[in-house]
Every structure is written in C-alpha cells, then in structure tokens.
Amino acid sequence: MLRLDGRKNLWLFVALLATFMVPATAQANSFSWNGSISSDWFTANNWTPAGVPGGGDTAVVGFGTASIGNSNVSLAALNLSGGVVAGTGQLTLTGTSTFTNGSYGCTINNNGTTNWPSGAGNISALDGSVFNNNGTFNAAANFNGGGIWAAFNGGTGQQFNNIGTLNANAPVDTGSPSFGGGANFKNTGTVHVISNRLGIADGTSSGIFNCDANAFVLFSGNAHTLTGGARFTGAGKSLIQGTAILNGSIVGGQSGGTLELSGGHLTTVAGGGTITGSLSLAGGSLSGTINNNGTTNWPSGAGNISVLQDSIFNNNGTFNAAANFNGGGIWAAFNGGTGQQFNNIGTLNANAPIDTGSPSFGGGANFKNTGTVHV
C-alpha cells in the first residue's frame, strides 16, 4: 500500500488551501437602462438585469433619462443609441464605446475608444456638457447626409475637446460627420481625416489636422480660431469655408499639407496673425493684419480676393500669384472701405500660365513693393 509521509501530506494540504483562497475575478456585465423606477443612475431596478453598472461594465442607454447627478462614474463602455445621459458629474470610459444617437449633459472622459460609426445619426450636447477625448475617437457618422454633433437644444458652455486622436473615416460618396453650432470644438491633439470629410464649426485649435489624399476638413462656422502652432499636413486639404481667425503665429500648411481659403473669410485678432508654413488662397475675403512669413499661393484656377476695411497683408516670405480664373483673379477692395494695403517685403512671383488670364492688384488694395516682384 502506497503511503504519503507527513511532509507530502502537508504540501498537498497547502496547495489545496491556496486553490480555495484565490479570489474570484469580477465578471464584466452589460446593463441596459429601463428607467422603470426613476431617472437615478444608481437605482438598481432602473437597469436590466437589476444592478448598477460600474468599473468593468457596459451601460446601454437607448431611451429615457439616466442621470448620474453630481457623482463620478467609471465604466468600461457606454453604448448610447437614444435618450439622455444627464448630470453634472463625470463619466469616464476606459474600453470601447459606441454612440449612434442621443444626448448627454455631463462631462464624459473617453480614455479608451469611442466610435461614432457609419450609419449613426446626431448627438446632442446639452447645456454645460463636455466631451474630453483623451484616447481615440472614430467619427464615421453618415446617416441622412451626415451625423451632426451639436447643441440642438441651445445652452452654453458645450465643448468637445480632442486631446488624443480623432479619426474621421466615413465611407466615400456618403454623408460625413460634423461638429456643429454650439458644440465648440477644440483640437490640441491630432485630427486625422482618412476618407471623405469632417465638418468643424466654431471653436479653437492649436493641434494637428492631417488629411489623407482626397480627404478634407471643412471649417464652416462663424468663428474658428487657429492658434498656438496649428498645422495642416497630409495630401488632402483643410478648407476655410466659414470664418477662421488667426491668433498669434500658426504653422499653416506643413510637409505638403494645405490650409486653403476656399470661399470663406480669414481674419485676425487685433494684434494680427502670422503664418510660418504655407497658405493657399482660392477665393474669399481677408481682414485684419496677416503676416506671411512662409509661402502663400494664389494659384492657377483661383478667383478674386476681397480685402475688407483696414486689412493689411504683409508678404515677408514668398507670394506666388497665378490666379487666372475667369480672365484673371483680382485682389481688390470690392466692398469699399479704406486703409487696405498689400506690402511686398519679400518675393512676389507672378507665374500664371501663358494664354490664360492673369492676376492683378486692383482698386483700393494699395500695393507697396519694397522687396522683389518677379514676373
């Protein structure tokens, strides 16, 4: 008969005891909002199954109002397809979340990945709400012409802060996502437009806008301020179709990237604005004091530039003038006014193709050359 000595019995006992002492791993669960009791996030029977989602869990909200009050809540994910996530507290997301429709009124911190996917619709940012993208945000919402992230119900203080990476990747030849009126968009991280386009209204940006070939950022709002070294890279274009404000010095186009005035208005704060990289002028209007310390192109195919009251353009770098649309682009004070000035301190190259229209500096846009004009 096989017998175990005392030491072997002791080690067997310790091994068995250790097995039973290992703590059970908490299981991540998914809780769907039913709101059958109240709007209180922390009431267990407001969720199916009964319980309050936390740490490693997913909360699913599709209707009604789920309010976190002034509390701070951490989740693995929030899947928002309708209804309202309300409150004045903070909701922190660490995993992969999906927003397809609905509203939020609290502060949401995305520390993981949030998807606003193809097929998704509008997201309403309520009074005082903030969305901080510290991780990755994928925007492809294209329902009914394109999803809009905006303050549909009015209010003040709404903010979308891109501190991490925002990828815009709506399928080509469909609608595209945009950040609309009232949901001020602030980019201090990286916006990467992979396909189609991304619309941006009001806000402030000092970060990177990188557009792949045939992809675009459209600045279409009443006031988007570019500041603090904002730069535009990639083979695509960032187009100013609304109003953009230069505040201090920005890079502009860099490494083949393009920042282009495309029918909109480019202005500056009272102290003027400076571009150290590149700027393209396809058409539109200018005001304020713009200092070109890099390269500005008024290219072949471009149209007229309207300079408004007291506007000054200082070319301290290189200005390439080839505008030839409809007989030739004209740089002029089309809307009247006084004090407009174009100061060429650096080099102005006039290089419109032969047998086409040619650029000109017209009435009211006083032209002063203390540098070199090369035709």
Side-chain angles (χ1 to χ4, degrees), residues 287-370:
S287 64
T289 298
I290 299 173
N291 301 302
N292 172 43
N293 290 357
T295 299
T296 293
N297 297 307
W298 189 19
S300 177
N304 298 337
I305 300 296
S306 177
V307 288
L308 306 185
Q309 174 77 28
D310 292 324
S311 65
I312 298 173
F313 191 98
N314 294 316
N315 177 39
N316 304 305
T318 301
F319 189 99
N320 297 313
N324 59 355
F325 178 75
N326 196 26
I330 304 173
W331 187 292
F334 291 102
N335 297 293
T338 59
Q340 293 95 322
Q341 189 79 38
F342 185 104
N343 297 316
N344 181 50
I345 304 148
T347 299
L348 187 152
N349 299 309
N351 54 352
I354 297 174
D355 297 328
T356 69
S358 58
S360 63
F361 291 85
N366 294 296
F367 184 92
K368 182 178 181 180
N369 178 35
T370 58

Side-chain angles (χ1 to χ4, degrees), residues 24-357:
T25 302
Q27 183 178 0
N29 294 303
S30 179
F31 295 88
S32 296
W33 179 257
N34 63 58
S36 60
I37 305 298
S38 65
S39 63
D40 182 14
W41 181 283
F42 301 99
T43 298
N45 286 332
N46 277 330
W47 298 94
T48 303
V52 178
D57 299 327
T58 296
V60 179
V61 178
F63 64 93
T65 298
S67 176
I68 65 172
N70 61 2
S71 299
N72 295 331
V73 175
S74 180
L75 296 172
L78 170 65
N79 293 338
L80 180 65
S81 60
V84 181
V85 177
T88 57
Q90 299 197 24
L91 184 61
T92 298
L93 310 174
T94 60
T96 300
S97 300
T98 301
F99 286 34
T100 56
N101 215 315
S103 307
Y104 67 100
C106 57
T107 294
I108 298 178
N109 302 305
N110 173 44
N111 293 349
T113 298
T114 293
N115 297 312
W116 188 21
S118 177
N122 298 337
I123 302 295
S124 179
L126 303 182
D127 185 62
S129 64
V130 178
F131 190 101
N132 294 315
N133 177 40
N134 304 305
T136 300
F137 188 97
N138 297 313
N142 59 355
F143 178 75
N144 196 27
I148 304 174
W149 191 293
F152 290 102
N153 297 294
T156 58
Q158 292 96 320
Q159 189 80 38
F160 186 104
N161 297 317
N162 180 51
I163 303 150
T165 299
L166 188 152
N167 299 310
N169 54 350
V172 177
D173 297 327
T174 70
S176 58
S178 63
F179 291 87
N184 291 296
F185 184 93
K186 183 176 182 181
N187 177 34
T188 58
T190 298
V191 170
H192 183 192
V193 185
I194 299 167
S195 58
N196 207 319
R197 59 193 182 271
L198 176 69
I200 297 175
D202 301 344
T204 303
S205 292
S206 60
I208 299 170
F209 292 90
N210 179 28
C211 297
D212 289 356
N214 301 313
F216 303 91
V217 167
L218 305 180
F219 292 105
S220 57
N222 295 322
H224 196 95
T225 300
L226 302 174
T227 187
R231 51 199 185 276
F232 304 83
T233 61
K237 292 183 177 182
S238 295
L239 305 177
I240 300 170
Q241 297 184 333
T243 297
I245 304 167
L246 298 180
N247 183 1
S249 179
I250 74 165
V251 174
Q254 183 184 55
S255 303
T258 301
L259 173 63
E260 180 176 292
L261 179 65
S262 181
H265 180 63
L266 181 61
T267 187
T268 71
V269 296
T274 299
I275 295 176
T276 62
S278 67
L279 174 67
S280 178
L281 303 174
S285 59
L286 303 175
S287 64
T289 298
I290 299 173
N291 301 302
N292 172 43
N293 290 357
T295 299
T296 293
N297 297 307
W298 189 19
S300 177
N304 298 337
I305 300 296
S306 177
V307 288
L308 306 185
Q309 174 77 28
D310 292 324
S311 65
I312 298 173
F313 191 98
N314 294 316
N315 177 39
N316 304 305
T318 301
F319 189 99
N320 297 313
N324 59 355
F325 178 75
N326 196 26
I330 304 173
W331 187 292
F334 291 102
N335 297 293
T338 59
Q340 293 95 322
Q341 189 79 38
F342 185 104
N343 297 316
N344 181 50
I345 304 148
T347 299
L348 187 152
N349 299 309
N351 54 352
I354 297 174
D355 297 328
T356 69

